[in-house]
Amino acid sequence: MNYSSLTISRLARAAGVGIETIRYYQRRNLLPLPEPEGGAFRHYPPVLIDRIRFIKRAQELGFSLDEISTLLKFEDGMDRRSIRSVASKHLDQVRAKITSLQRIEHSLSHLIDACVASGRAERCPIIEALAKPEQQVS
């Protein structure tokens, strides 16, 4: 594959994404939209392959596109304080989600155990708990 200049389809293939992903990233200002050269085709520099891979890896770590946009402003890696700040805030969000998921796990486990232990003549505690959303499920 010639990487001196890429059409959108070649860029997408080289980066392992779909064409619509590239267009979406362009709409979100994560990738530039080059002017068409001579014809109807836009040509993209090969450096965008790494930029797209950066975006995809950051998404795999759960960064939002807004956070990724901020990180891309520091892609030279020199403003460590700002980079750490974005990553630390994201880590705090991840930890909060883990805490929330652990509460959910505990509640579901308790409800399943209660369902197993309850008599068949009674309404299942899972349905009972879900029917009353104002109650805290323990």
Side-chain angles (χ1 to χ4, degrees):
M1 190 177 299
N2 179 4
Y3 286 135
S4 62
S5 174
L6 304 167
T7 61
I8 193 168
S9 62
R10 285 189 175 172
L11 175 63
R13 197 173 324 118
V17 298
I19 292 171
E20 287 308 312
T21 299
I22 292 174
R23 290 186 177 135
Y24 180 68
Y25 290 168
Q26 289 171 328
R27 286 192 301 275
R28 293 293 307 259
N29 295 316
L30 298 171
L31 294 175
L33 181 63
E35 293 297 321
E37 291 178 15
F41 292 104
R42 299 177 192 274
H43 292 275
Y44 297 81
V47 70
L48 292 184
I49 297 168
D50 289 336
R51 188 177 182 99
I52 294 167
R53 289 178 180 156
F54 175 96
I55 295 167
K56 295 306 289 179
R57 283 192 300 269
Q59 285 182 303
E60 289 168 4
L61 289 174
F63 284 99
S64 69
L65 291 180
D66 288 336
E67 290 168 324
I68 293 168
S69 178
T70 300
L71 288 172
L72 284 168
K73 293 175 185 170
F74 308 119
E75 69 183 318
D76 67 0
M78 300 310 288
D79 188 349
R80 291 173 183 256
R81 181 182 300 165
S82 296
I83 296 165
R84 275 194 316 272
S85 176
V86 172
S88 292
K89 287 176 187 171
H90 182 65
L91 181 58
D92 290 343
Q93 294 169 351
V94 168
R95 287 178 173 154
K97 287 179 186 177
I98 289 170
T99 299
S100 176
L101 287 171
Q102 287 172 331
R103 278 195 300 273
I104 291 168
E105 176 190 31
H106 174 76
S107 295
L108 285 173
S109 178
H110 173 76
L111 287 171
I112 290 168
D113 290 345
C115 184
V116 170
S118 67
R120 289 204 173 268
E122 298 175 39
R123 189 174 188 193
C124 175
I126 297 170
I127 298 300
E128 190 69 32
L130 296 176
K132 298 179 182 178
E134 70 279 352
Q135 286 185 337
Q136 179 71 22
V137 179
S138 55

